[in-house]
Amino acid sequence: MNKHRHRPVSHRSVDTAFRRVGIAGLAWIFASLWWLSLAALAPAQEINDTEPKPTPPPKQPPRGYLIDIPHPITSRDIDQILSQLTRLSLAVRQTTPNSDNAAVKRASVVLRFGSSDTPAKQPTRVGESDALGNEAVPNTTALEDALKLARAISGNDLRRVRSIAWVDREVRGSDVLLVLACESILVSSDGSIGDATEGEPTGDETTQLIYQSIAKRRSLLAPEIVKGLANSELAVARVRLAEGDTRFAVGEELRQLRREGAIVEETIWSEAGQPLILTADQLRELRAATAIVDSVDEVADRLGLAGLRDEDVDASGEAVGALLRINGPVRRDRVRRWQSNLAATIERGETNTWLVEIDSPGGYLTGSASMAAFIADPGPSIRSVGGYISREARGDAALLALACRPLTMHPDATLGGSGAEAINPDDVRDQRELIALIANATGRSETLLRGLLDPSLPIHRYTNRRTGRVRYAIPSELAEEALQGEEDVATQWKREQRIELADGLTVQAAIELGLVDESADSLQNAAQTVGLADVPNQLSDRGLVRWVERLGRNDGLAFGLLLLGFMMLSTEASAPGLGLPGFIAMLCFAFFFWTKFLAGTAEWLELLAFGLGLVCLAIEIFVLPGFGVFGIGGLFLTVLGVVLMSQTFVIPRNSYQVNELTQGVWMAIGGMGGLVIGFLIVRAFLPQAATATGLAMESPPSDMDRLERLADFDHLQGKSGTASTRLRPSGKARFGDQVVAVVSDGSAIDPGQSVRVVAVHGNRIVVEAVED
């Protein structure tokens, strides 16, 4: 037997075999996965290649800040402006951390010189007393105050603030130093700077060194010009020398060049002893001013900003408010009363904040424009005028609302749209100056204000292609600006959708257009927007008048008064001589007229028409029975009086007036329905409800002693006869040879008509009409 010998397998050979198999297997697995991944990713890659890449949203341009520099500027103003600039600088630092290794974000602040019309105040000197009798503390000069602010503006502490001076008036005295401290200058057509030493000693070397030091930080003006501004005793001239150089020479240098005969051509900018004044054109010629601009929007466009936010200098102190309610139609007498109430708060000096609640359809464009201008610019003693639209501000009442800043609206309120007065384009053009004043004072679009009054204007939204700023304009006016060379419409402004204003604006639409600041559910919330903790006391001379005015705007109450009045009038006509129903009717009609009169919709002409209508109806009922001229004319005059008392116009000329006319007609017709209701009530309850109505005597007791009766008419029960007189409802009837006094069952019975006795109550005989 053969025996097989097995060769032992070493561990190394086993490891080598497994390694070869493992490497091959892994290679095959990886190759398979790679092929599958390519097959799966190829279609997805094709789809992704075909999809457009999302376009990142355009970067919105920043907004700047506008600070009005009062004139004259005081130490308190300087501190407040510095506080504002410091706050803005800190806000920028917080939004851009670790900015040392990157471009530092800066806040653009425009210092406007020329917005204040405050009269100049005399400085209080040491040892003197101010207007309140308080002894003054040692004060600084105007130049020292200006130097404090100029150093801060041009220093490193406010390096995150980009300061721009907007010279919008004649800047004189120490204000010139603030202009020179800014990084750049914008000037209006009428702006200028000069006479920097106004109010300071002339020729003072310290003053000259201060101006030269601040001006050197910005290098906006040549040193020779700065010397001329700081010293009015120096002559300043632009000279062209023999060598060909053109530069400025001042003072002794100018005189030396003249003596040497080195000047070929000379242009005098200021003589010795006369202050140097640099106009807008001269500032542009010197390249000190970067542009000539005349509006806030032009400033924003020039600086590449989306807009400018107002920063109020005087925002300290507690708000002390007064409330003015503008309810109902706007009328001449009401405008005078509102203005006098507001003016009284200024005279007393106890109020610095106004809160105006508006719920009005308008009705008097001239008065609304005048009062809106007064609200928009009340003077320095009133620091804030807040508005609140509780229900509606239609027609010219929209101007009263838009004159307030900030302006809030109830979520269900309406701004603009047709109102109580039909405003035509000529009326709007006549008030354009006041509208522009309101727009400038509140920072709102003048074009939108005009569009709310005249919806026929084709107002469009335009977006600046470079800055993203939005404006609202009429295409024809924008084209006219382009013809005058003010701006290129085609390249600068992109025309977008038309703004529809005919039906008024909701709160959301008004906020989007920049006309309303925010929504508020109550007057309490609106008061908080102007810094008031609670709703202030209302301005009015009589509380009863305010109460009746509110009642006059309640249509349900007006309809109820008319309905009850005509019911009582019908009752009195059905049973003459009772008195009480007639007295109640008179009270209802009088109170209806009083409420409408105080609400501003009723005048004496409407009362005359209403009163004549009632007189004609009375004549038709009591004097000349029948349905003739007096009846028809009385109904027409009564309806006419009620309708005219419910509106401020005669013939409707817009949709709002048509709606008001329709409501007034239905109110009159519904109220006169009380005549029918009263007649039916008397007919149904005259015999049965005698105690309640007082129109019939109570039935005598069954055990009444027949001997106590003055007459016995029981024999007439069921008898038929003929009416001798008209029964409305009382009169006389003939039964055989006997003529007795009778009363109808509530219906009117003409003479000669057959009647039948239906009830006998003592000496009271009730009859009804029967057919012949």
Side-chain angles (χ1 to χ4, degrees), residues 651-699:
I651 300 176
R653 292 186 292 172
N654 58 39
S655 59
Y656 178 85
Q657 293 180 351
V658 170
N659 184 50
E660 289 293 303
L661 176 63
T662 304
Q663 292 182 0
V665 171
W666 281 112
M667 179 184 294
I669 294 175
M672 295 196 68
L675 291 173
V676 180
I677 297 175
F679 177 76
L680 295 177
I681 291 176
V682 171
R683 181 181 178 86
F685 296 101
L686 176 64
Q688 293 83 2
T691 303
T693 62
L695 300 180
M697 295 178 62
E698 294 184 4
S699 300

Side-chain angles (χ1 to χ4, degrees), residues 120-198:
K121 295 177 286 187
Q122 297 297 330
T124 306
R125 301 302 178 186
V126 179
E128 297 180 356
S129 300
D130 58 13
L132 300 177
N134 300 322
E135 185 177 352
V137 297
N139 66 309
T140 58
T141 63
L143 179 60
E144 292 173 345
D145 291 333
L147 177 60
K148 178 182 177 181
L149 181 57
R151 284 175 173 171
I153 293 175
S154 58
N156 293 328
D157 293 340
L158 298 178
R159 63 181 182 276
R160 289 181 173 82
V161 174
R162 175 192 176 196
S163 57
I164 303 99
W166 180 18
V167 181
D168 198 24
R169 60 169 168 83
E170 296 180 353
V171 177
R172 303 291 184 266
S174 58
D175 290 352
V176 176
L177 186 65
L178 300 179
V179 175
L180 299 180
C182 296
E183 296 183 29
S184 60
I185 300 175
L186 298 174
V187 62
S188 66
S189 302
D190 300 330
S192 64
I193 64 173
D195 196 7
T197 58
E198 182 184 49

Side-chain angles (χ1 to χ4, degrees), residues 636-652:
F636 175 77
L637 288 175
T638 303
V639 173
L640 179 64
V642 172
V643 171
L644 292 180
M645 285 184 189
S646 304
Q647 61 193 32
T648 58
F649 54 89
V650 178
I651 300 176

Side-chain angles (χ1 to χ4, degrees), residues 148-282:
K148 178 182 177 181
L149 181 57
R151 284 175 173 171
I153 293 175
S154 58
N156 293 328
D157 293 340
L158 298 178
R159 63 181 182 276
R160 289 181 173 82
V161 174
R162 175 192 176 196
S163 57
I164 303 99
W166 180 18
V167 181
D168 198 24
R169 60 169 168 83
E170 296 180 353
V171 177
R172 303 291 184 266
S174 58
D175 290 352
V176 176
L177 186 65
L178 300 179
V179 175
L180 299 180
C182 296
E183 296 183 29
S184 60
I185 300 175
L186 298 174
V187 62
S188 66
S189 302
D190 300 330
S192 64
I193 64 173
D195 196 7
T197 58
E198 182 184 49
E200 299 290 336
T202 304
D204 183 59
E205 294 183 0
T206 303
T207 301
Q208 299 178 42
L209 291 175
I210 290 174
Y211 274 89
Q212 292 175 10
S213 174
I214 296 298
K216 187 177 180 180
R217 297 184 180 186
R218 300 302 189 187
S219 300
L220 296 176
L221 293 174
E224 293 80 7
I225 296 295
V226 177
K227 289 181 180 180
L229 290 172
N231 189 354
S232 60
E233 295 180 352
L234 301 178
V236 181
R238 171 181 282 175
V239 297
R240 184 164 62 89
L241 303 179
E243 295 84 359
D245 295 339
T246 301
R247 60 185 181 85
F248 284 93
V250 59
E252 182 60 32
E253 181 187 9
L254 177 61
R255 290 192 295 268
Q256 182 65 26
L257 292 175
R258 289 172 177 172
R259 287 194 296 265
E260 295 176 354
I263 300 177
V264 177
E265 183 180 354
E266 178 181 334
T267 303
I268 303 298
W269 283 51
S270 68
E271 296 285 356
Q274 296 180 352
L276 174 61
I277 305 296
L278 300 178
T279 64
D281 294 334
Q282 289 174 330

Side-chain angles (χ1 to χ4, degrees), residues 252-477:
E252 182 60 32
E253 181 187 9
L254 177 61
R255 290 192 295 268
Q256 182 65 26
L257 292 175
R258 289 172 177 172
R259 287 194 296 265
E260 295 176 354
I263 300 177
V264 177
E265 183 180 354
E266 178 181 334
T267 303
I268 303 298
W269 283 51
S270 68
E271 296 285 356
Q274 296 180 352
L276 174 61
I277 305 296
L278 300 178
T279 64
D281 294 334
Q282 289 174 330
L283 288 172
R284 286 287 293 146
E285 182 182 352
L286 296 173
R287 299 184 181 275
T290 57
I292 297 179
V293 293
D294 293 318
S295 67
V296 176
D297 293 338
E298 293 181 9
V299 172
D301 291 340
R302 185 68 189 181
L303 299 176
L305 303 173
L308 293 175
R309 302 175 184 174
D310 290 333
E311 288 290 315
D312 189 10
V313 173
D314 188 9
S316 61
E318 182 181 358
V320 180
L323 173 64
L324 175 67
R325 295 185 187 269
I326 299 180
N327 296 332
V330 179
R331 289 172 30 188
R332 188 188 309 255
D333 56 336
R334 307 186 83 193
V335 169
R336 288 197 298 264
R337 177 155 57 95
W338 293 333
Q339 286 187 347
S340 63
N341 288 338
L342 291 177
T345 64
I346 299 177
E347 294 176 0
R348 290 193 297 266
E350 301 173 352
T351 303
N352 58 15
T353 304
W354 289 343
L355 181 61
V356 183
E357 181 187 9
I358 303 100
D359 180 13
S360 171
Y364 182 39
L365 176 59
T366 303
S368 294
S370 175
M371 182 170 180
F374 174 67
I375 293 176
D377 187 16
S381 61
I382 303 299
R383 72 181 190 185
S384 180
V385 181
Y388 177 62
I389 304 175
S390 58
R391 192 174 70 167
E392 64 180 5
R394 294 183 173 272
D396 52 274
L399 275 182
L400 297 173
L402 294 171
C404 305
R405 196 65 183 263
L407 176 62
T408 57
M409 280 181 65
H410 190 274
D412 299 328
T414 301
L415 174 63
S418 56
E421 181 183 11
I423 303 173
N424 57 58
D426 293 335
D427 297 334
V428 178
R429 282 192 290 268
D430 292 341
Q431 304 297 330
R432 186 163 182 177
E433 183 177 351
L434 289 179
I435 295 174
L437 186 150
I438 297 168
N440 293 332
T442 59
R444 296 188 171 96
S445 170
E446 177 188 351
T447 305
L448 288 179
L449 265 64
R450 291 164 51 205
L452 286 172
L453 300 175
D454 181 12
S456 64
L457 295 177
I459 302 176
H460 289 264
R461 173 189 171 103
Y462 288 85
T463 304
N464 192 292
R465 300 178 188 273
R466 181 172 62 89
T467 65
R469 186 176 68 84
V470 174
R471 67 176 296 188
Y472 301 93
I474 302 172
S476 59
E477 295 180 351

Side-chain angles (χ1 to χ4, degrees), residues 590-603:
F591 193 68
F592 174 79
F593 170 76
W594 190 34
T595 56
K596 294 300 181 181
F597 178 79
L598 293 180
T601 58
E603 296 286 352

